Amino acid sequence: MIKEKLMEEIKKESSEKSSFWLKIAFDFGLAGLAYDEGKYALAVEHYEKATKLFYPNRPRDFLYGVSLLKTGRTDEAINELQGAAQWRYDGWGGP
């Protein structure tokens, strides 16, 4: 909880000055914190904020898929997990 509040404070203070990618990184960070605490619905919310700016051309995320599964969004979870299993990182972020 303290980590999440700190991340939100940092995001709020720097939101006007932050780059596009920094804003995404904050939401991914918050998603990871929520996931670690077992708050899967909150994790999904932050993953969706982080990915909506460059969806559909984005890497698939295993933890996002698990969070979707734990919140009952099975079809979306399967899609996300299948994409994560097929994703290949080669430095430029392409599939």
Side-chain angles (χ1 to χ4, degrees), residues 35-36 38-41 43-44 47 60-74 76-82 84:
Y35 179 90
D36 287 345
K39 299 176 180 175
Y40 302 110
V44 167
Y47 279 120
R60 302 302 183 204
D61 192 281
F62 176 77
L63 298 181
Y64 180 34
V66 172
S67 296
L68 287 166
L69 187 62
K70 295 240 181 208
T71 56
R73 295 167 63 177
T74 307
E76 292 170 88
I78 290 169
N79 184 42
E80 189 69 20
L81 292 169
Q82 285 176 334

Side-chain angles (χ1 to χ4, degrees), residues 1-37:
M1 187 66 151
I2 293 172
K3 293 177 193 176
E4 187 174 86
K5 285 183 181 179
L6 180 59
M7 290 285 287
E8 287 289 355
E9 289 283 324
I10 292 169
K11 185 177 180 181
K12 190 185 320 179
E13 288 180 19
S14 63
S15 64
E16 293 177 9
K17 305 172 204 171
S18 296
S19 73
F20 170 80
W21 293 110
L22 186 57
K23 290 175 184 177
I24 290 170
F26 278 125
D27 279 312
F28 269 118
L30 290 171
L33 290 171
Y35 179 90
D36 287 345
E37 293 176 357

